[in-house]
Amino acid sequence: MARAPATAEDLEALETDVLAGFMLARAAAGLSDGTISSDVVHLEQIRAWFGRPLWEMRDHCGRPFSRR
């Protein structure tokens, strides 16, 4: 039986779960709460700028902002 396409709510829940996993991995690696919080803020800012889930971002998407 084929699965129905993911809804916007499904994708939002997945993105939340991925971010939670990122935070847990950073905490397990011994990073401070301040560092993790800063990382999350930066990811949320990139997400807001990009306007789509971060897994859709490709190398060329951020190139105008890189210092290369």
Side-chain angles (χ1 to χ4, degrees), residues 25-62:
R26 306 281 283 169
L31 276 75
S32 71
D33 289 348
T35 299
I36 296 167
S37 177
S38 177
D39 291 344
V40 169
V41 166
H42 289 114
L43 285 172
E44 288 173 343
Q45 289 174 341
I46 293 168
R47 170 63 173 86
W49 167 80
F50 189 56
R52 296 192 310 255
L54 290 177
W55 57 77
E56 291 182 10
M57 184 174 272
R58 299 294 178 253
D59 183 48
H60 67 275
C61 295

